[in-house]
Amino acid sequence: MKNSNTMQAEQFYYDNRIVKQFGIATMIWGLVGMLVGVLIAFQLAYPALNFGIPYTSFGRLRPIHTNAVIFAFVGNAVFAGAYYIMQRVLKARLYSDLLSKIHLWGWQLIIVLGAISLAMGYTTGKEYAELEWPIDILITVIWLVFGINMFGTILRRRERHLYVALWFFIGTWVTVAMLHIVNSFEYPVSLFKSYSLYAGVQDALVQWWYGHNAVAFFLTTPFLGLMYYFVPKAANRPIYSYRWSIIHFWALIFIYIWAGPHHLLYTALPAWAQALGTVFSIMLILPSWGGMLNGLFTLRGAWDRVREDPILKMFVVALTCYGMATFEGPMLSLKNVNAISHYTDWTIAHVHVGALGFNGFLIFGMLYYMVPRMWNTTLYSRKMANTHFLLGTVGILLYAIPLYWAGFSQSIMWKKFTESGQLQYQFLETVTHIIPMYILRGIGGLCYLGGTVLAAVNLYKTTKAGRFVANEAAEGVPLKAQAMPVSKMHWHSVIERKPIRLLIFSLIVVAIGGMIELIPTFLIDSNVPTIAAVKPYTPLELQGRDIYVREGCYTCHSQMIRPFRDEEARYGEYSKAGEFIYDRPFQWGSKRTGPDLHRVGGKYPDSWHYKHMNDPQEISDGSIMPAYPWLLDKDLDTSNTAKKIRVMQSLGVPYPEGYDKIANAELRKQADEITARLRSEKIKAVSSKEIIAVIAYLQRLGTDIKKEPLTTQNTDHEIH
């Protein structure tokens, strides 16, 4: 005789179609993002690959690559995995097929608009948040659609307990929403141009509060949710420790949100904020490694299968890379280590160990698991999948090891002095020295891309061998028909069985760190001491700065001289917080492929900059900087000058009242002065061209409180 629960069971159908569509998008955008990544990797070794046009220059392609990999490849994979998992652990079809479709096509629209706008030069210039304000609004809407669909599904569930994977999806959703909204406050100038609500030090803190936690809550927490489902499923073993998963979740989301300032060590950020970032970054080791070990220990009893099963192989390497990256990250937040690593290729290697190893291999393992089950077949070729694993692993090693080598080389060469106290190496020498490592990195990227192509072929042939089950039959007892458990509940059940309560608690936990770091930095004036000599940018300089941001110059150059002997000797006096109060967005940079530019103003004549932007190799033989010949040909658009001045006034920049009405007259006057100087040096420049505005901006940098470098070494050829 059947028990009562069996008699009360309802039949329903899982929606595999939306999982399939997000999975297809994952593979398409993964191939696109990685192909662009390989191209920009080789551009650093062979500048001719920039092709001399704006749309394919490194400065514009680099944010396309990062956005394509993070938000297109990884984002679509998260949605595919989350929708697959949610239905099965909740025993419910997704809340709304319509919302699922809006989510799918809305997200693809965001990706396409983002790629086109970035190629066109429409960018905020904020790392991982480059998309302009209309797209930011669209992201918010689609993210809300995802949240409604997720919570609607949770509320109609047939399983009382919320499995651990769902905690990480809920934490991801609420935190990404908070980070995106706060970081995206900006004042529109036009449809594709805006200025950040924040400036200088405050903008830097908000950006890296967002930027670090974009990595934490878009590239990490949702993948831990995927790990907690797919690793036990693939291993056919229960998760090692439920208690560890509780500690892992709450400790991780609480601590992670504080760690952003470790990206700004030795900068003009207040010392107390830097110290907080370091302390919490070190604390991150414990929950991160607890989660990694929880995943690896789940494989106990299944290690004999790891030798043959490509899915388990990928999961093992993914967890290992997660452990490596989450140990290395806290180490890089130690000031003595950060003094070596920051602004070098070490950081790039660190990021890609996590991205290619943890994110990439977990995605591929997930797809190899899901696709055969949704098509009711077996994987087309296990041998092909194992070859993919081998190619991907070799690719990661060939990518990361040369960049670690390059990072150490850069730092050592930057800091090296002769016995007489002079800098031993010009900056260009530190660049040309590591070009072979850039080539090896590109080859590593090609290997990884090759493995991805194999995966695409393998998965495609798998689908052709099976028959897609769009609506997969399942059954479950409605929650209201289930008897309440008579056994004593675990204390955490009070939270995990109440999704709205879990959402609210997660928001509180992640908001605490952000408020403690951000509020004092905005409200206490001593955090950003004013400097009377620092004046707003002239209209021409402001236009030049916007072109500088448009061309992505910040991807290779920093504007932050740290208080180190070698940096002051090479660049001039170290940077002060009060120098950046009119910088929207801040331009402190993350990597120095070229030298720091904070005190470049007045260092070279106008003609040097003119020639250098037209053909860097003419000025610096062996330079890997792309040429910008279009700046010499394109007319400066001055139709928006007055609007930009008014927006800046609204943001608190002290331009005189009515200055917007004479701004273009001031702009033309300064442009004519620069053009006259160029003509005196036998350069037939036209004052209306964009290059004049860029020169005005570069010549302004650091001149408010400029101090000459401490060394008398000739630095004429340091620009990369």
Side-chain angles (χ1 to χ4, degrees), residues 64-169:
I64 291 176
H65 164 64
T66 56
N67 280 267
V69 171
I70 296 172
F71 300 111
F73 174 56
V74 170
N76 278 297
V78 167
F79 300 137
Y83 279 156
Y84 183 89
I85 293 167
M86 276 193 284
Q87 297 183 86
R88 285 153 180 82
V89 300
L90 295 171
K91 290 188 171 65
R93 187 180 178 88
L94 292 172
Y95 174 67
S96 168
D97 289 3
L98 176 61
L99 288 180
S100 296
K101 291 175 183 175
I102 293 172
H103 180 194
L104 171 72
W105 295 111
W107 197 255
Q108 309 320 309
L109 178 61
I110 289 167
I111 294 164
V112 172
L113 290 176
I116 294 172
S117 63
L118 290 172
M120 296 293 290
Y122 301 131
T123 175
T124 65
K126 300 178 73 168
E127 201 159 358
Y128 311 139
E130 292 92 349
L131 304 183
E132 272 292 358
W133 66 272
I135 306 177
D136 281 341
I137 293 172
L138 184 57
I139 291 170
T140 305
V141 171
I142 299 302
W143 195 251
L144 181 62
V145 168
F146 172 48
I148 293 171
N149 212 14
M150 176 168 64
F151 279 95
T153 307
I154 292 172
L155 294 175
R156 67 191 292 184
R157 69 194 186 278
R158 295 178 178 84
E159 178 64 52
R160 192 176 303 278
H161 173 75
L162 294 182
Y163 183 61
V164 56
L166 297 176
W167 313 346
F168 283 93
F169 296 149

Side-chain angles (χ1 to χ4, degrees), residues 198-423:
Y198 320 109
V201 172
Q202 288 97 342
D203 191 45
L205 180 59
V206 173
Q207 162 57 26
W208 281 113
W209 173 75
Y210 163 88
H212 177 78
N213 291 299
V215 173
F217 289 92
F218 205 88
L219 295 175
T220 304
T221 54
F223 276 80
L224 294 170
L226 301 179
M227 180 273 288
Y228 272 114
Y229 180 85
F230 287 110
V231 170
K233 281 289 187 181
N236 197 25
R237 295 286 188 276
I239 196 70
Y240 175 70
S241 173
Y242 168 68
R243 289 183 175 85
W244 279 22
S245 68
I246 295 172
I247 298 170
H248 181 204
F249 173 71
W250 290 107
L252 195 75
I253 68 170
F254 174 71
I255 296 173
Y256 237 133
I257 208 78
W258 298 74
H262 78 222
H263 290 263
L264 301 169
L265 299 182
Y266 292 110
T267 68
L269 188 73
W272 65 266
Q274 297 183 40
L276 270 181
T278 297
V279 168
F280 280 89
S281 297
I282 298 301
M283 292 167 62
L284 265 175
I285 294 176
L286 295 176
S288 298
W289 272 52
M292 174 198 68
L293 293 173
N294 209 7
L296 288 176
F297 288 167
T298 298
L299 296 171
R300 68 200 187 285
W303 284 101
D304 57 316
R305 291 170 45 209
V306 173
R307 287 177 298 177
E308 303 295 333
D309 189 337
I311 297 175
L312 290 180
K313 284 182 183 178
M314 287 186 167
F315 287 163
V316 168
V317 171
L319 286 165
T320 304
C321 287
Y322 173 60
M324 291 169 59
T326 53
F327 176 78
E328 185 184 18
M331 293 301 101
L332 293 176
S333 72
L334 295 172
K335 295 191 82 169
N336 55 345
V337 179
N338 188 272
I340 299 171
S341 69
H342 194 47
Y343 289 133
T344 75
D345 283 290
W346 183 348
T347 305
I348 311 302
H350 163 65
V351 168
H352 282 80
V353 166
L356 301 177
F358 178 49
N359 297 120
F361 270 11
L362 198 58
I363 289 171
F364 294 127
M366 175 188 80
L367 292 173
Y368 284 145
Y369 177 90
M370 290 194 309
V371 169
R373 284 162 177 79
M374 291 193 296
W375 269 265
N376 198 23
T377 185
T378 57
L379 187 64
Y380 170 74
S381 172
R382 177 174 285 200
K383 182 178 181 181
M384 193 180 290
N386 278 315
T387 304
H388 171 203
F389 169 78
L390 181 62
L391 268 175
T393 303
V394 171
I396 294 169
L397 294 174
L398 275 177
Y399 191 106
I401 293 173
L403 286 192
Y404 283 122
W405 186 359
F408 279 107
S409 299
Q410 287 168 304
S411 185
I412 291 169
M413 294 177 77
W414 290 347
K415 296 176 184 299
K416 188 74 171 177
F417 284 85
T418 64
E419 291 183 0
S420 62
Q422 303 292 307
L423 287 167

Side-chain angles (χ1 to χ4, degrees), residues 181-200:
I181 291 170
V182 173
N183 191 49
S184 297
F185 284 135
E186 48 213 8
Y187 202 127
V189 175
S190 63
L191 185 61
F192 293 109
K193 177 61 185 175
S194 64
Y195 289 120
S196 173
L197 186 66
Y198 320 109

Side-chain angles (χ1 to χ4, degrees), residues 322-608:
Y322 173 60
M324 291 169 59
T326 53
F327 176 78
E328 185 184 18
M331 293 301 101
L332 293 176
S333 72
L334 295 172
K335 295 191 82 169
N336 55 345
V337 179
N338 188 272
I340 299 171
S341 69
H342 194 47
Y343 289 133
T344 75
D345 283 290
W346 183 348
T347 305
I348 311 302
H350 163 65
V351 168
H352 282 80
V353 166
L356 301 177
F358 178 49
N359 297 120
F361 270 11
L362 198 58
I363 289 171
F364 294 127
M366 175 188 80
L367 292 173
Y368 284 145
Y369 177 90
M370 290 194 309
V371 169
R373 284 162 177 79
M374 291 193 296
W375 269 265
N376 198 23
T377 185
T378 57
L379 187 64
Y380 170 74
S381 172
R382 177 174 285 200
K383 182 178 181 181
M384 193 180 290
N386 278 315
T387 304
H388 171 203
F389 169 78
L390 181 62
L391 268 175
T393 303
V394 171
I396 294 169
L397 294 174
L398 275 177
Y399 191 106
I401 293 173
L403 286 192
Y404 283 122
W405 186 359
F408 279 107
S409 299
Q410 287 168 304
S411 185
I412 291 169
M413 294 177 77
W414 290 347
K415 296 176 184 299
K416 188 74 171 177
F417 284 85
T418 64
E419 291 183 0
S420 62
Q422 303 292 307
L423 287 167
Q424 183 165 335
Y425 299 103
Q426 294 182 2
F427 193 92
L428 184 58
E429 292 178 272
T430 72
V431 175
T432 56
H433 177 77
I434 61 175
I435 287 176
M437 303 165 207
Y438 283 160
I439 295 171
L440 281 175
R441 182 261 293 268
I443 294 171
L446 272 176
C447 289
Y448 198 90
L449 176 61
T452 305
V453 171
L454 273 184
V457 172
N458 202 0
L459 291 170
Y460 175 75
K461 288 185 174 292
T462 300
T463 64
K464 289 301 180 183
R467 184 175 181 181
F468 180 60
V469 183
N471 295 288
E472 183 179 332
E475 63 177 28
V477 179
L479 209 57
K480 60 184 178 183
Q482 295 181 24
M484 290 295 291
V486 295
S487 59
K488 184 179 179 181
M489 290 193 304
H490 189 273
W491 66 268
H492 196 254
S493 298
V494 177
I495 301 173
E496 69 193 38
R497 293 187 178 185
K498 300 290 185 180
I500 304 303
R501 186 179 297 172
L502 181 59
L503 170 70
I504 293 170
F505 283 5
S506 298
L507 177 60
I508 292 170
V509 166
V510 297
I512 291 171
M515 290 190 295
I516 290 176
E517 288 180 342
L518 298 182
I519 291 174
T521 309
F522 281 86
L523 299 183
I524 300 174
D525 291 341
S526 61
N527 280 312
V528 187
T530 57
I531 300 173
V534 177
K535 304 298 181 185
Y537 292 107
T538 67
L540 186 64
E541 292 163 358
L542 184 63
Q543 292 281 17
R545 188 176 201 275
D546 288 343
I547 296 169
Y548 179 95
V549 172
R550 182 192 76 194
E551 298 302 337
C553 302
Y554 60 89
T555 61
C556 287
H557 294 281
S558 60
Q559 290 182 29
M560 173 53 60
I561 302 169
R562 297 174 293 178
F564 299 156
R565 178 192 172 200
D566 63 288
E567 295 205 7
E568 290 203 63
R570 192 181 297 278
Y571 303 122
E573 186 175 3
Y574 70 91
S575 304
K576 315 295 193 303
E579 295 184 76
F580 304 99
I581 57 175
Y582 303 124
D583 284 6
R584 301 172 188 271
F586 82 108
Q587 293 286 280
W588 296 0
S590 297
K591 174 162 184 302
R592 287 179 182 152
T593 305
D596 190 274
L597 298 181
H598 189 212
R599 306 238 181 265
V600 76
K603 187 174 183 181
Y604 308 106
D606 295 338
S607 58
W608 190 97

Side-chain angles (χ1 to χ4, degrees), residues 708-719:
E708 291 302 316
L710 300 180
T711 178
T712 57
Q713 179 185 0
N714 184 339
T715 56
D716 283 351
H717 301 292
E718 286 188 357
I719 298 291

